[in-house]
Amino acid sequence: GGGPNGGAPAAPAPAGTSRVCFAAFTAWLLGNVATVRELREEVLPRLRVVGPVVPLPSGDLLHWTIDDEREHVVLEYLDGEMRLHNNTAARRSPCLSTRLRAAARPLPTRPGPPRARQVGAFTNDPDFTWHLRNLNNFANLSPDWPKGGERITVQSEVGALPHAVGHGFNLLGLPGDASPPSRFVRLFFQRQYAVLRAPPASLNESLSLAIGLLSSVFISQGTVASASPAAGFELTQYSVLKLPAARQFLFRDYASPRWRRVRLGELDFAPRAGASARSLPVGDGTLGVEDVTAKLG
């Protein structure tokens, strides 16, 4: 059959190929593969992800963002063929992913100017290379104060014009809707400009930048039109910050802006006979608002 993104049927799989259902692929990957390098060199040559040959009922096609402390890649099927894309961002810039929930991976900083090797952003369908080419449509954006009118300035009854009145005009044309292509563009350019102009000097500053960027693509329930009443509304169900090098995982739910942290290095993941699965609810049922009235009394 075809790969999860449909199209032509894939070629026959070689002997010894592992077949994994697309719905279980994420859990299988976490339980069987230690690094992106292992995935690329040892696993993918003998892996077949089995899935629908047409889009899901939601209309979405499938691809996965996979990262460790060194690399970030995108895996997708197009016309029944598996494709792996390098998406490793600069060591100084957060690597961002957004689906119905947004995810980011801030990395430790290093001295010297940031140099992005790849775009380091990720959102839903269309396919990844479509998103890459779409960035070219916004080459007019700039990290600098707009000065395009200086050579044609004229005097008028309201003064010299045209000139920028207020801040933010360097981002004029940055798409603001909630579609995957627009979120991809917004994350890429805002991240690049922030790292260029005010590069994070610490892990906490990287986290602050990532949180701010994620807020710019947050989807409030009811704001995005639904294709049918049965489909429900798209929203940012939860947000995630992943720190692979520090072995930390931060998350928050839709209702609360309060982040919670899990120190993965302090947990024992060794399998034990009879042990039950451990889990935490994404939300704690509150808005995360602290009442500080008593501190002012």
Side-chain angles (χ1 to χ4, degrees), residues 88-234:
T88 306
R91 296 294 294 178
R92 212 169 185 182
S93 59
C95 188
L96 302 172
S97 295
T98 64
R99 296 197 177 199
L100 293 184
R101 63 279 179 187
R105 181 187 63 159
L107 296 171
T109 59
R110 291 183 175 181
R115 293 182 180 274
R117 296 189 296 276
Q118 295 292 332
V119 299
F122 185 79
T123 58
N124 296 25
D125 194 56
D127 63 88
F128 185 65
T129 54
W130 186 99
H131 284 294
L132 297 183
R133 294 188 178 96
N134 186 47
L135 293 176
N136 292 329
N137 293 323
F138 301 90
N140 60 293
L141 298 174
S142 170
D144 302 318
W145 188 269
K147 298 180 179 179
E150 288 185 347
R151 298 175 63 184
I152 59 169
T153 299
V154 298
Q155 295 297 323
S156 74
E157 61 185 67
V158 297
L161 57 86
H163 69 278
V165 180
H167 296 81
F169 285 98
N170 63 305
L171 299 177
L172 185 63
L174 188 71
D177 62 86
S179 67
S182 293
R183 285 184 284 134
F184 191 103
V185 171
R186 202 150 67 248
L187 286 170
F188 172 77
F189 280 99
Q190 289 185 121
R191 194 273 319 281
Q192 291 297 99
Y193 292 167
V195 171
L196 177 67
R197 291 303 192 189
S202 67
L203 181 57
N204 282 346
E205 289 187 9
S206 292
L207 287 170
S208 295
L209 172 57
I211 290 172
L213 292 171
L214 291 178
S215 297
S216 75
V217 293
F218 185 90
I219 301 176
S220 298
Q221 187 172 11
T223 60
V224 174
S226 177
S228 68
F233 293 106
E234 184 170 336

Side-chain angles (χ1 to χ4, degrees), residues 61-103:
L61 300 176
L62 296 176
H63 48 193
W64 295 268
T65 173
I66 306 165
D67 55 316
D68 59 22
E69 63 185 85
R70 295 182 179 276
E71 296 183 79
H72 182 87
V73 296
V74 171
L75 177 66
E76 60 187 0
Y77 274 82
L78 292 175
D79 296 328
E81 294 184 4
M82 180 186 296
R83 302 186 184 183
L84 189 71
H85 308 279
N86 178 26
N87 197 28
T88 306
R91 296 294 294 178
R92 212 169 185 182
S93 59
C95 188
L96 302 172
S97 295
T98 64
R99 296 197 177 199
L100 293 184
R101 63 279 179 187

